[in-house]
């Protein structure tokens, strides 16, 4: 019986370690992509990354970028990073430029779609590991923004 408990405990510890490694690998990947695409080093104090890209549902991009302007930028938190890839089609980049904030990066080059980095979404970090990745979708945008609000 003791051997059974020991084996179960060991399997559980191995499972926890693998989850930690996977999340750490995701963080390292996101960190390298941000450096490659935006030319910046991801600050270890960042807890939320907001990604906006012109690709996808135009109304979703407009709604999400306005949400960021109304609910994220105005709070002036240094633990949030806003990464915008836009030619100014669906995102009012001029409004974002009025805030002289080092945590708002605007890039006019539309990046390639990525399996981990959403075109439109939020990455929530916890202790320099990926906690949650939310890809904004037309059918769930209201619920997703409510979730982000509740997380803050």
């Amino acid at each position: 019986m003791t051997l059974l408990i020991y084996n179960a405990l060991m399997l559980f510890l191995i499972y926890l370690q693998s989850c930690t490694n996977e999340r750490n690998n995701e963080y390292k990947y996101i960190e390298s992509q941000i450096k490659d695409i935006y030319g910046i080093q991801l600050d270890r104090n960042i807890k939320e990354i907001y990604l906006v890209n012109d690709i996808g549902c135009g109304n979703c991009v407009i709604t999400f970028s306005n949400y960021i302007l109304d609910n994220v930028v105005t709070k002036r938190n240094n633990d949030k990073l806003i990464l915008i890839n836009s030619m100014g089609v669906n995102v009012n980049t001029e409004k974002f430029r009025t805030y002289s904030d080092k945590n708002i990066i605007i890039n006019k080059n539309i990046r390639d779609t990525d399996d981990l980095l959403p075109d439109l979404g939020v990455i929530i970090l916890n202790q320099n590991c990926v906690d949650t990745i939310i890809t904004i979708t037309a059918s769930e945008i209201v619920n997703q923004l409510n979730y982000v609000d509740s997380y803050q």
Side-chain angles (χ1 to χ4, degrees):
M1 185 65 167
T2 306
L3 183 60
L4 183 62
I5 294 172
Y6 175 77
N7 286 339
L9 180 61
M10 290 305 292
L11 284 173
F12 180 71
L13 290 174
I14 290 169
Y15 171 75
L16 283 180
Q17 183 63 30
S18 67
C19 288
T20 303
N21 285 339
E22 181 181 338
R23 289 176 185 234
N24 190 37
N25 288 341
E26 288 176 347
Y27 181 86
K28 287 180 181 178
Y29 177 78
I30 290 169
E31 186 177 44
S32 72
Q33 289 297 301
I34 288 173
K35 186 171 186 173
D36 291 347
I37 297 168
Y38 300 96
I40 62 168
Q41 185 66 39
L42 183 59
D43 187 321
R44 296 287 180 174
N45 296 321
I46 297 295
K47 294 181 182 167
E48 296 172 11
I49 303 170
Y50 292 81
L51 296 125
V52 180
N53 201 334
D54 273 336
I55 296 173
C57 164
N59 286 335
C60 297
V61 174
I62 292 166
T63 300
F64 188 56
S65 61
N66 286 336
Y67 168 85
I68 294 170
L69 282 166
D70 295 341
N71 298 290
V72 180
V73 172
T74 55
K75 293 182 182 177
R76 312 287 276 183
N77 293 339
N78 290 330
D79 62 351
K80 295 169 182 23
L81 178 62
I82 301 165
L83 302 173
I84 301 170
N85 281 65
S86 176
M87 299 293 288
V89 176
N90 292 317
V91 180
N92 188 341
T93 55
E94 292 308 311
K95 277 189 180 179
F96 282 98
R97 289 185 207 285
T98 62
Y99 294 92
S100 58
D101 194 328
K102 67 180 178 92
N103 287 352
I104 301 173
I105 309 297
I106 301 172
N107 187 344
K108 288 187 178 183
N109 299 322
I110 303 303
R111 65 177 173 78
D112 293 332
T113 300
D114 187 285
D115 290 338
L116 191 59
L117 293 177
D119 289 324
L120 199 63
V122 182
I123 300 173
I124 299 172
L125 305 172
N126 186 0
Q127 298 177 0
N128 299 325
C129 284
V130 174
D131 181 285
T132 307
I133 299 175
I134 302 168
T135 300
I136 301 296
T137 60
S139 62
E140 289 295 319
I141 191 166
V142 172
N143 293 333
Q144 291 167 327
L145 296 181
N146 286 336
Y147 176 79
V148 172
D149 280 339
S150 71
Y151 196 86
Q152 297 175 7

